[in-house]
Amino acid sequence: MNGPTTFAIHPMTRSNRSRGFGTKAVHAGSEPDPTTGAIMTPIYQTSTYVQSAPGDHKGYEYSRTQNPTRTALQNALAELENGRHGLCFATGMAAIDAVIKTLRPGDHVVSTNDLYGGTYRLFTKIFEGFGVRFSFVDMTDKAQVLAAIRPETRLIWVETPTNPLLRIIDIAAMAELAKKNDCLLAVDNTFASPALQTPLDIGADLVMHSATKYLGGHSDVVMGALIVNDDTLSEKLAFIQNSSGATPGPMDSFLVLRGIKTLHLRMARHCSNAEAVADALQGHGRVDKVHWPGSPDHPGHQIATRQMRGPGGMVSFSLKGDRMEDAFAVLSSTRLFSLAESLGGVESLIGHPASMTHASIPREERLRNGLADTLIRLSVGIEEPADLIDDLMQALDGRS
Ligand SMILES: *Cc1c(COP(=O)(O)O)cnc(C)c1O
């Protein structure tokens, strides 16, 4: 497998903002604390704010509505995504929930058939009950998306790269469809992070994150975020954020603020480690297919090189044969890769989509979508690549 030679892994944003991504990651949203000069945004662990007279306050009244630590994070995320407004939520799911609450019964959403399981569950098990309608199609095929759009379609919901097959959806093509059909385009940017992909720059109206993953980056916080440009949309979402109340606390906001200061360094290392791991897996006799968008033979490689600044740290692979036990044996014999849900932290994780994240999808449907019983998903961390490769090789060789 050849490396991702056409990617510029060290990211400089293509936006017209003058500073490079690494500089923004370190400085975005942080101003020295006005009262003490503290260089780090304090954790404003407070529920309320004293007013000098009724209605006479410093912009903060109650921490569900606004909190200075959260404000700093929201501004930082907006800057990293080249957007005007950032909004943080208690979890990624709460962020998606807020977006769908901007819709009304009868409204229709087109999304991908390769969607994060929790998003699929929220759409079908919660919002269909309130009369919002959803269609799920193969979004790597523009014709299928076009065919699914109806007069009442209000939103196109994209996730790219997808989980766990790392398929790539063409954001610019989806933006064109959205504009022509008078609906909004939302992109779940969790797998790429703004270090590698900034969808607002290429026509998206809304970016969503599970900040639990790469933005937080240290597996110590659960959080969600939305970034938009449009003032009216931002106001609508802020109204829902405050009314529904799924907001994150100041401690969690601080943790994500701290996480994003190293986002560019972490993502560069996630990408280079993923490349080394994907290469090693490709060369192993027991491995059938390796899925990683940096590989030139990955079906989404061309689009990925256009819309991403690096292929990311997620790799999945299937074993030869179709025995789930073979996958289980590998999953239970890695020593560095920990068997766990989630992704995007500094430590490497290994998972089995068929029995973990995608267990609720019937087997036939899973197989039809290309999700083999032997498929193994890796969130490649930032450890020494040689140690990660050693660990996978000993697990594949059954040496443990
Ligand atoms: C984890 C994840 C979510 C949900 O986010 P939470 O923070 O777990 O609520 C949504 N989309 C993607 C792609 C994810 O990986």
Side-chain angles (χ1 to χ4, degrees):
M1 187 190 300
N2 292 319
T5 43
T6 46
F7 284 102
I9 282 187
H10 297 289
M12 292 293 283
T13 70
R14 282 167 296 181
S15 84
N16 52 13
R17 301 205 189 178
S18 56
R19 287 176 170 160
F21 187 86
T23 308
K24 292 203 290 186
V26 172
H27 292 283
S30 34
E31 297 292 337
D33 181 50
T35 54
T36 63
I39 193 163
M40 287 301 134
T41 307
I43 303 162
Y44 284 92
Q45 196 75 51
T46 187
S47 61
T48 190
Y49 309 82
V50 175
Q51 308 189 4
S52 49
D56 186 3
H57 54 75
K58 299 176 163 58
Y60 293 91
E61 294 159 275
Y62 187 60
S63 277
R64 169 164 29 79
T65 321
Q66 277 177 320
N67 175 283
T69 318
R70 193 176 99 209
T71 302
L73 175 61
Q74 293 183 150
N75 292 341
L77 292 177
E79 201 171 327
L80 295 190
E81 285 287 358
N82 296 328
R84 287 166 52 81
H85 308 283
L87 299 109
C88 289
F89 293 83
T91 67
M93 294 320 304
I96 302 173
D97 179 87
V99 176
I100 307 304
K101 281 176 178 161
T102 63
L103 305 178
R104 289 291 163 264
D107 286 351
H108 175 246
V109 180
V110 179
S111 191
T112 160
N113 60 4
D114 202 9
L115 196 60
Y116 177 73
T119 309
Y120 181 79
R121 181 176 58 196
L122 179 70
F123 287 178
T124 57
K125 297 281 199 298
I126 306 284
F127 281 108
E128 279 193 349
F130 289 92
V132 182
R133 301 288 170 244
F134 298 88
S135 298
F136 302 95
V137 298
D138 177 358
M139 286 193 152
T140 61
D141 178 3
K142 202 174 154 184
Q144 283 194 35
V145 181
L146 185 59
I149 294 175
R150 310 174 192 163
E152 62 274 21
T153 304
R154 295 283 170 270
L155 179 68
I156 298 179
W157 185 276
V158 166
E159 188 183 308
T160 181
T162 68
N163 176 30
L165 292 169
L166 290 322
R167 292 192 175 116
I168 303 292
I169 297 167
D170 187 336
I171 297 172
M174 292 302 118
E176 197 189 314
L177 279 181
K179 297 252 150 24
K180 275 198 189 133
N181 293 280
D182 215 17
C183 42
L184 296 182
L185 174 66
V187 177
D188 181 338
N189 204 25
T190 300
F191 269 42
S193 94
L196 304 183
Q197 178 169 280
T198 36
L200 296 179
D201 289 343
I202 45 178
D205 300 290
L206 186 151
V207 166
M208 175 264 157
H209 277 283
S210 169
T212 313
K213 317 293 168 54
Y214 288 108
L215 291 176
H218 295 75
S219 307
D220 52 10
V221 64
V222 178
M223 197 191 290
L226 301 175
I227 300 97
V228 300
N229 275 320
D230 184 74
D231 297 345
T232 311
L233 179 59
S234 168
E235 275 165 31
K236 250 192 205 177
L237 291 166
F239 183 81
I240 294 166
Q241 181 193 36
N242 183 45
S243 303
S244 290
T247 51
M251 179 71 200
D252 286 355
S253 300
F254 173 85
L255 286 171
V256 176
L257 261 176
R258 175 148 101 162
I260 61 178
K261 288 180 192 295
T262 55
L263 179 63
H264 53 304
L265 299 177
R266 287 186 285 108
M267 287 315 295
R269 180 65 173 243
H270 283 299
C271 288
S272 62
N273 277 4
E275 179 180 8
V277 162
D279 257 339
L281 287 171
Q282 195 75 76
H284 196 283
R286 289 191 60 205
V287 172
D288 183 22
K289 285 201 185 85
V290 177
H291 308 274
W292 184 59
S295 162
D297 53 14
H298 183 285
H301 181 71
Q302 284 311 319
I303 299 165
T305 57
R306 244 189 286 133
Q307 72 187 19
M308 300 177 76
R309 290 179 287 274
M314 299 299 295
V315 175
S316 61
F317 65 101
S318 54
L319 300 176
K320 288 183 178 153
D322 58 5
R323 286 161 40 91
M324 201 182 275
E325 309 87 83
D326 288 350
F328 280 1
V330 173
L331 287 152
S332 48
S333 47
T334 54
R335 293 165 185 151
L336 263 178
F337 280 84
S338 302
L339 180 59
E341 309 257 3
S342 199
L343 62 115
V346 289
E347 65 289 308
S348 292
L349 300 181
I350 190 166
H352 184 240
S355 69
M356 295 167 75
T357 46
H358 292 63
S360 59
I361 303 170
R363 183 166 184 269
E364 298 313 310
E365 197 181 325
R366 254 195 282 122
L367 295 179
R368 214 175 23 252
N369 290 339
L371 207 158
D373 285 340
T374 64
L375 190 80
I376 293 172
R377 188 189 85 171
L378 304 174
S379 172
V380 181
I382 64 169
E383 301 95 333
E384 288 300 329
D387 292 331
L388 296 178
I389 290 167
D390 266 1
D391 188 36
L392 291 170
M393 295 299 119
Q394 65 83 21
L396 284 165
D397 294 341
R399 273 189 265 138
S400 50

